[in-house]
Amino acid sequence: MQSAGALIIGGIAALVAIWGVVTQRIIARRRATMDVLFSSEGDGALLLARKEFRRLVKEAGGLAQWAEADKIDSNESAAILTALNQHELAAIGIQRGIFDLEIYRRWNKTSVIQTWDRAAPFVLALRARVQNHDIYCEFEALAWRLAHRKRPRWSRWRGLFF
């Protein structure tokens, strides 16, 4: 009888410990996401790169011209790459479970989709020129996922467990 009670108490203690680890992982992922979002909003160089990106999108000739070999080292290409790198890093962080997709989606969904739509000619030209189809593939996948994902009914509970 005592051994059965000890087994039950041990099982409950193990479940509580597992619950604690899972909860702390969720909190850490959310905190990391918020830290990245806050820091990106205050990063002067990143803000200037985004501004330059938006200006270049409106220019005649589009962004694809900046992927050419003779222009890739220009300040304009650097601004485009900086803007894209931010989204690529976030996409990798989400894929690896470091960042929380739901928080990132709520903050950046429109920005990610619009940036990809505007940058796709540049990325496709760059991929073709260097013959590497993996360039910004994580960013592309994140934009597609955000654009096509329908929120399931159970998703409000998802943050408690995963």
Side-chain angles (χ1 to χ4, degrees):
M1 177 95 169
Q2 286 182 341
S3 62
L7 209 55
I8 291 172
I9 291 173
I12 291 171
L15 289 175
V16 168
I18 291 169
W19 179 261
V21 169
V22 169
T23 302
Q24 287 304 311
R25 187 177 187 314
I26 292 167
I27 291 168
R29 184 177 348 158
R30 290 176 180 168
R31 180 64 194 188
T33 305
M34 295 302 291
D35 288 345
V36 166
L37 292 175
F38 284 135
S39 67
S40 69
E41 291 302 313
D43 184 347
L46 183 57
L47 294 174
L48 287 174
R50 287 183 196 157
K51 184 176 180 180
E52 181 69 3
F53 177 87
R54 288 189 301 271
R55 184 186 72 76
L56 292 170
V57 165
K58 296 175 187 175
E59 269 191 5
L63 294 182
Q65 65 179 323
W66 300 106
E68 295 174 11
D70 61 332
K71 294 183 180 179
I72 199 68
D73 291 329
S74 67
N75 291 336
E76 290 84 353
S77 289
I80 295 168
L81 294 170
T82 299
L84 297 179
N85 286 343
Q86 174 203 14
H87 292 299
E88 181 76 0
L89 288 170
I92 292 168
I94 289 167
Q95 180 190 51
R96 303 300 303 158
I98 298 165
F99 298 144
D100 186 77
L101 174 62
E102 186 63 20
I103 291 173
Y104 194 81
R105 182 188 65 80
R106 287 177 180 242
W107 182 256
N108 264 351
K109 177 182 177 180
T110 302
S111 175
V112 169
I113 295 167
Q114 285 180 350
T115 301
W116 174 256
D117 288 344
R118 294 170 179 165
F122 174 86
V123 174
L124 296 175
L126 184 61
R127 287 176 180 173
R129 186 175 65 77
V130 299
Q131 298 181 354
N132 182 351
H133 296 286
D134 292 333
I135 295 174
Y136 296 112
C137 66
E138 306 301 339
F139 174 34
E140 180 181 15
L142 176 63
W144 187 91
R145 182 176 183 185
L146 293 178
H148 295 94
R149 180 174 168 242
K150 293 185 179 179
R151 186 177 175 166
R153 290 184 192 162
W154 53 264
S155 68
R156 77 185 104 190
W157 300 106
R158 182 177 176 267
L160 295 176
F161 303 106
F162 305 104

